[in-house]
Amino acid sequence: MKRIEIKQLLTKPYLEGQVHVAGWIRTARQSSNVGFIELNDGSQFGNLQIVYDKDLSNFDQINKLGLSAAIEVWGEVILTPQMKQPLEIRASEIRVMGDSAKDYPLQKKRHSLEYLRTQLTLRPRTNTFMAVFRVRSILSMAIHRFFQDRDYVYIQTPILTSADAEGAGEMFQVTSLDLNNLPLTESGNVDYSKELFGKKMGLTVSGQLSVEPFALTYSKVYTFGPTFRAENSNTVRHANEFWMIEPEISFCDLDGMMDIIEEMVKYLIDYVLEKAPQEMKFFNDRIDNSLLDRLEVVRSSQFARITYTEAIQLLKDSGRSFEYPPVWGQEIQTEHEKYLAGELFKQPVFVTDYPTDAKAFYMKLSPDGKTVRACDLLVPAIGEIVGGSQREDNYERLKAEMERRGMPIDDYQWYLDLRRYGSAVHSGFGLGFDRMIQYLTGIANIRDVQAYPRTPNNAEF
Amino acid sequence: MKRIEIKQLLTKPYLEGQVHVAGWIRTARQSSNVGFIELNDGSQFGNLQIVYDKDLSNFDQINKLGLSAAIEVWGEVILTPQMKQPLEIRASEIRVMGDSAKDYPLQKKRHSLEYLRTQLTLRPRTNTFMAVFRVRSILSMAIHRFFQDRDYVYIQTPILTSADAEGAGEMFQVTSLDLNNLPLTESGNVDYSKELFGKKMGLTVSGQLSVEPFALTYSKVYTFGPTFRAENSNTVRHANEFWMIEPEISFCDLDGMMDIIEEMVKYLIDYVLEKAPQEMKFFNDRIDNSLLDRLEVVRSSQFARITYTEAIQLLKDSGRSFEYPPVWGQEIQTEHEKYLAGELFKQPVFVTDYPTDAKAFYMKLSPDGKTVRACDLLVPAIGEIVGGSQREDNYERLKAEMERRGMPIDDYQWYLDLRRYGSAVHSGFGLGFDRMIQYLTGIANIRDVQAYPRTPNNAEF
């Protein structure tokens, strides 16, 4: 008899008759005559109830199985419309595929997220993490569908790079050399010409610059891949390895891009709510009771748009005493973001047109000469989740700005040249994938939305 | 007037009346009275013909534009059913967004793939590379759709790792230390406790071991991400950075997995042929005339399945003189693969049950004690494109094999423990994404299917 997945068994119209299932024991309780097993095969969030009794030849063996043992079950579907679950299986045969040892580190009681971080290979078997990583998968698909359905071309930009896109100096170095036996130049420095690539290399901090040439070919492109920062930040929002989505769109200015960002954010929420209703209900019940209400506000609101200058004025007019008093030219802090989106607007807000010196070199200079056509999207309870800008498409202005910042022009000549060979208005943004999962699940710590989080002094497996 | 994409304009039913388009000039020809521009905005493979004449106020400016200049066009749709293209635009206005300088490195003539490798930021504007990178994007989506439609969970395994999954010793090292000022221990070696992660780290060579815990939770999972090998191989099939797909499936043995692989390969071919018909025709016309026939054979055949032992016998019986004579226990070479799939079977062939010592430690030992339940999929003209195996799910046998190979058991105790906490039959395989694109496009060199290829002494941008 062919095995059937529990998801299919629990989907209407319900099958009747004999079935064959397999999975891992989530919970079990026994008496001397009858036993109940909650079985999960990962095909869906909920479990399947298995009932067995003394007619089973190996009744005693089954009664002694440990939590998370793997079993195969043959039996009859019994519809139970009067119960919480729609059906159960009355087992005629149970075979043990793999028992679970007595020292299995997860027990029936609720474990703290901190403890579960010490059990990265087993925590996916808990309700919380089974829900988190399924939502992570579904959100990945939502992102690809959103962009592919709209004919964006997915570009895999390189992880290994010699360019520091943000100029932030927070790149990990990658080497093929033996650190205990480094080749040296005559002057006594490391001889990078001996590297496999013949030069010093690092891990990308952003695919944006690499993807712009493709935007100036296909018009609409996006990246979706891992990025890295070698920063020693121990916060709930920072990891040293994280995934980013970086769309880049030609013939599109800042206003057009904000339309796209708004459409995307709403699409992602809708998609996850539709594809993972059990998981989202679980998060709302167990992790953050305001989650579904919060997402509903985002889905149904038209995002506000204010300039940075207006934002500073609103903060000044708020009568609040902030830890960092709002000053034109200074950064908008998390406390400011939370006030604007969470308290004043109570919905998502785009803040646009930041002071030039607060943003990166490649952003489109406004006619006022003091601001650039950048935007950050702030959402209630979290703050910034998306940042982007129209790009400077004028060769002379871009070069002047790079010189003003003391950048090595030669290294970026290829990037400047894109403004000499058919330059076009174009804009792009970045969405931190892991933070978006935090936002959609209510999970507070980025360590709990990554399979194997990489944070300072913490990189297991 | 809202801009319309060329793809939409060239899709039936054709719009009539006034339209607004934008794009880059692919080719242009002029006389003193009239000019023709082939315009491409990247929304589809083919170009849109723009016709303009002396009525245009900037007729002379337009006539002088360089190849790849970016323009906006307003004009009327003229249906041209008697021509090759279904319609053209008679321009009433053309605005120059960005001209292209005289030193633009791509000219109208056909450039060699080798030359274009020196122009990585511009080569996507050629027909060949525009087709390659769109197929790359479409194939990525095909992979996600295949697995997500079947309820697989996408797991992003970490890039930064301290584990060497293949034990091949070809890992790049990643460091946060200053190589010109390394901290040393008392014994004079590099003090890795000073690393950001507190230990020596590298770039992953495979996500397989990291994803197995998730297969033992969700049953069906897959990875899709970059992997790295620090090997000094200069071949048309090796790159130091490449993307891999690694599905892992519980309650599935080798035979069941071969069914999945066969279904997947056919699905990927169907998907790309359906979504990129213009590109695939181009590859067949310009790159490899046997491409479409070859793919058709794969789509319509039932893949053969032979054991390694049978394969060696077939090679011995072939009467061929191979450079490497076939010997049981030795590797099946590329020449052997090409004979088996390309000449003998003339269709895809699974070769199964390899000698234990030819394969990795984690593969399921057969009852004969000499072979493991592994499979490679060989396809005509290429050889191996997929490799996989059923995994050893017995704790004692796995541990004994690891000890026999002299592996450090402590480092893998978490992996062994998966066989103590609800072990289940499971199998997995790896598909090299870049090689699959080579296979689907006929492009011979892996450097021509990656946006920015990373190969020895070659890592630009």
Side-chain angles (χ1 to χ4, degrees), chain A residues 429-449:
Chain A
F429 64 94
L431 169 68
F433 179 64
D434 308 273
R435 290 184 181 177
M436 190 67 189
I437 298 165
Q438 290 182 262
Y439 180 62
L440 289 178
T441 60
I443 296 282
N445 197 317
I446 198 167
R447 290 163 182 79
D448 297 327
V449 300

Side-chain angles (χ1 to χ4, degrees), chain A residues 84-136:
Chain A
K84 202 178 66 177
Q85 70 277 17
L87 56 84
E88 62 188 24
I89 305 296
R90 189 159 299 263
S92 52
E93 183 180 353
I94 300 181
R95 278 188 215 159
V96 179
M97 198 172 253
D99 196 1
S100 185
K102 289 280 169 283
D103 62 353
Y104 182 62
L106 307 186
Q107 295 307 316
K108 207 169 165 176
K109 71 180 180 106
R110 208 160 161 183
H111 295 287
S112 72
L113 297 179
E114 289 74 16
Y115 172 72
L116 291 170
R117 265 174 235 147
T118 68
Q119 301 292 335
L120 296 182
T121 60
L122 300 175
R123 68 177 184 172
R125 303 180 185 193
T126 64
N127 283 334
T128 301
F129 288 97
M130 171 163 270
V132 164
F133 293 114
R134 198 187 317 270
V135 165
R136 193 176 167 106

Side-chain angles (χ1 to χ4, degrees), chain A residues 5 41 125 130 136-137 154 156 159-160 180 190 196 210 218-220 241 421 452 454 457, chain B residues 5 41 125 130 136-137 154 156 159-160 180 190 196 210 218-220 241 420-421 452 454 457:
Chain A
E5 292 178 3
D41 66 0
R125 303 180 185 193
M130 171 163 270
R136 193 176 167 106
S137 171
Y154 175 36
Q156 283 122 349
I159 308 302
L160 298 171
N180 280 314
V190 175
L196 184 61
S210 317
Y218 293 106
S219 293
K220 298 189 294 190
E241 173 175 345
Y421 302 138
Y452 300 90
R454 270 71 178 103
N457 284 311
Chain B
E5 292 179 4
D41 66 2
R125 304 180 184 194
M130 171 163 270
R136 194 175 166 107
S137 171
Y154 176 35
Q156 283 122 350
I159 308 303
L160 298 172
N180 280 314
V190 174
L196 184 61
S210 318
Y218 292 106
S219 293
K220 298 189 295 190
E241 175 176 342
R420 292 175 61 236
Y421 302 137
Y452 300 90
R454 269 71 180 103
N457 285 309

Side-chain angles (χ1 to χ4, degrees), chain A residues 24 119-125 452 461, chain B residues 155 157 207-219 221 248 250 414-415 418-419 426:
Chain A
W24 294 272
Q119 301 292 335
L120 296 182
T121 60
L122 300 175
R123 68 177 184 172
R125 303 180 185 193
Y452 300 90
F461 307 103
Chain B
I155 305 294
T157 49
Q208 180 205 318
L209 300 194
S210 318
V211 89
E212 279 193 48
F214 290 87
L216 292 163
T217 299
Y218 292 106
S219 293
V221 298
E248 192 78 27
S250 285
W414 64 273
Y415 185 73
L418 296 175
R419 280 71 180 165
H426 65 291

